Amino acid sequence: GGAMRRAMARGQPRGGSGAVGGLVHDGAARATAGGKVGKVGWGVAGGLYNDQGVSAFAGGTEKDGFAQSSFSGRLAYDLSDTTTMRAFSSKTHSRNAYDGYVPPFYNFGDTGDFGKTDTTLSAIGVTNRYDAGEQALSLSETDSDRHDYYDGGFASFNRRGHIQAAGHTS
């Protein structure tokens, strides 16, 4: 922003670094980017995974697949030479198909049953480093939302979870 433009206008080096990476392999793709400019460090990552699946039912012909997408971001700010504040957030969406119990006799077999799960994790913390180690204080929050669907598309199982936590390490 403005501080970087002012530093560059005065001919001061911006003191930045960065990196970009990626991976594509057997149904998986991942991309990352990050760096540091002055007192601010940052990073983002995203990924996709798609397993075409196999049937858990021994005589099954249907493939029960698993797919997941995720995105995360992080930000760090050096308050001083020994103290850093950090924030992190990630979001994951998963879909998995599975075998179930087929009506009318409810024997185990191929079905169109599937589940979806969405999870969000966010955290903020401050770390103070000193000669003998470091101390950290953090606050985090996790939300999860899971829905399972029987063959035919109606919801069979819905659960939501929410966790808030505070932590201290030294």
Side-chain angles (χ1 to χ4, degrees):
M4 184 190 305
R5 283 193 299 274
R6 287 189 299 274
M8 291 175 69
R10 290 191 303 265
Q12 297 172 351
R14 61 184 182 142
S17 64
V20 175
L23 168 71
V24 175
H25 178 63
D26 292 336
R30 180 164 173 80
T32 61
K36 186 166 185 177
V37 176
K39 294 182 176 195
V40 178
W42 63 276
V44 293
L48 298 171
Y49 179 78
N50 190 353
D51 174 2
Q52 297 303 312
V54 297
S55 181
F57 173 52
T61 57
E62 157 206 48
K63 292 185 176 182
D64 298 312
F66 173 77
Q68 185 175 71
S69 59
S70 63
F71 179 79
S72 65
R74 65 176 172 79
L75 191 61
Y77 182 75
D78 294 330
L79 297 169
S80 71
D81 290 342
T82 60
T83 305
T84 303
M85 181 171 254
R86 291 184 171 84
F88 172 83
S89 188
S90 71
K91 175 87 172 160
T92 302
H93 173 76
S94 303
R95 185 186 191 285
N96 62 300
Y98 46 87
D99 293 319
Y101 294 91
V102 182
F105 300 110
Y106 295 95
N107 295 324
F108 187 67
D110 285 338
T111 66
D113 296 358
F114 67 97
K116 292 181 179 182
T117 304
D118 291 296
T119 304
T120 303
L121 166 66
S122 299
I124 189 167
V126 64
T127 303
N128 185 45
R129 296 167 301 282
Y130 54 95
D131 290 339
E134 68 180 32
Q135 289 182 317
L137 176 64
S138 63
L139 301 170
S140 66
E141 183 171 83
T142 304
D143 287 303
S144 63
D145 192 6
R146 177 178 168 183
H147 300 278
D148 287 348
Y149 300 89
Y150 286 132
D151 199 1
F154 66 91
S156 62
F157 177 84
N158 297 309
R159 292 295 178 260
R160 290 196 167 138
H162 182 82
I163 298 171
Q164 291 178 322
H168 176 267
T169 60
S170 56

